[in-house]
Amino acid sequence: MLKSHAQAQPSSPNSAFISDLSTLRARAREQMMKGAVTPSFPEADRKAIVELLNTALATEIVCVLRYKRHYYATHGIRAKFVAAEFLEHAKEEQAHADQIAERIVQLGEDPDLNPATLLSRSHAEYDESTSLREMLEADLFAERIAIESYREMIDFLGQRDPTSRRMLESILAQEEEHAEDLVDLLEDLPKD
């Protein structure tokens, strides 16, 4: 006897992929106050990801400070356009820092904003150059470091934390834009 189409269907179209619905609901209710951190998020992974994100946070904050310093240290009529670019980059780096800090909180931890250890945790360096060319080169160097760092972080995150991975992919795209802007600005500077 042939089974009807309705009889041949599994009881749930997602049954091969996720827990049964009653188990899923019970687990969600039991651990509801843990926010984004679910039992499927291994503690060791969560700790490693928070450490990685705190490194990214330190890097972004150092970049904000470097760009702000360059903004205020830029002088001369020809440098006004470059100074505006420094300020724009500083604001975008601050937005990155805020995104990263918010994600750390979602993962159940506090962001590490300790100024005493900020520079030692950052992949980027602070810079006190005085010439426009040196400032642009220091910022481009820092952006190149950020690009490589974020690519490695994204590879590490893989499927461990798709939310953090997507956030860092978005930040990476903007860091690549910054690098391109800086290359253009350097190419337009008159040779000394």
Side-chain angles (χ1 to χ4, degrees):
M1 176 178 172
L2 292 173
K3 292 184 180 182
S4 73
H5 180 66
Q7 291 174 327
Q9 295 293 319
S11 60
S12 168
N14 296 324
S15 62
F17 303 107
I18 62 172
S19 306
D20 69 90
L21 190 54
S22 60
T23 302
L24 192 62
R25 287 178 177 163
R27 201 168 49 222
R29 184 167 308 286
E30 179 183 302
Q31 299 186 359
M32 192 165 49
M33 295 308 291
K34 291 188 177 180
V37 180
T38 64
S40 64
F41 205 130
E43 182 66 12
D45 281 356
R46 188 182 68 80
K47 291 285 188 190
I49 291 166
V50 167
E51 183 178 333
L52 176 141
L53 292 175
N54 269 314
T55 299
L57 177 60
T59 301
E60 292 295 338
I61 292 171
V62 169
C63 287
V64 170
L65 295 172
R66 189 190 58 256
Y67 274 122
K68 283 286 208 158
R69 189 212 171 267
H70 289 172
Y71 168 72
Y72 289 113
T74 304
H75 303 289
I77 193 75
R78 289 164 60 197
K80 292 225 182 275
F81 179 78
V82 176
E85 196 71 22
F86 288 154
L87 184 58
E88 179 183 331
H89 287 198
K91 290 176 182 177
E92 290 168 350
E93 302 292 355
Q94 182 62 60
H96 299 165
D98 292 341
Q99 287 178 292
I100 294 166
E102 288 170 5
R103 182 61 183 154
I104 291 168
V105 170
Q106 286 176 345
L107 293 174
E109 297 290 334
D110 293 326
D112 186 349
L113 299 169
N114 184 346
T117 60
L118 198 61
L119 197 53
S120 66
R121 291 180 289 117
S122 170
H123 288 174
E125 298 172 326
Y126 186 74
D127 178 71
E128 295 183 352
S129 298
T130 55
S131 85
L132 191 55
R133 178 171 296 283
E134 288 171 345
M135 287 187 241
L136 286 165
E137 287 173 350
D139 289 330
L140 179 55
F141 181 65
E143 293 293 354
R144 299 277 307 174
I145 289 169
I147 290 166
E148 290 299 320
S149 294
Y150 283 132
R151 284 184 181 151
E152 289 182 17
M153 290 177 188
I154 289 164
D155 286 345
F156 171 79
L157 289 171
Q159 291 304 310
R160 287 182 181 98
D161 182 1
T163 303
S164 295
R165 187 193 72 238
R166 284 190 303 274
M167 176 191 67
L168 291 183
E169 287 171 342
S170 172
I171 291 171
L172 171 62
Q174 201 157 41
E175 302 295 4
E176 290 173 343
E177 288 176 24
H178 290 175
E180 287 302 308
D181 292 344
L182 294 165
V183 167
D184 289 345
L185 290 168
L186 273 165
E187 287 176 345
D188 286 347
L189 273 186
K191 304 294 180 209
D192 294 335

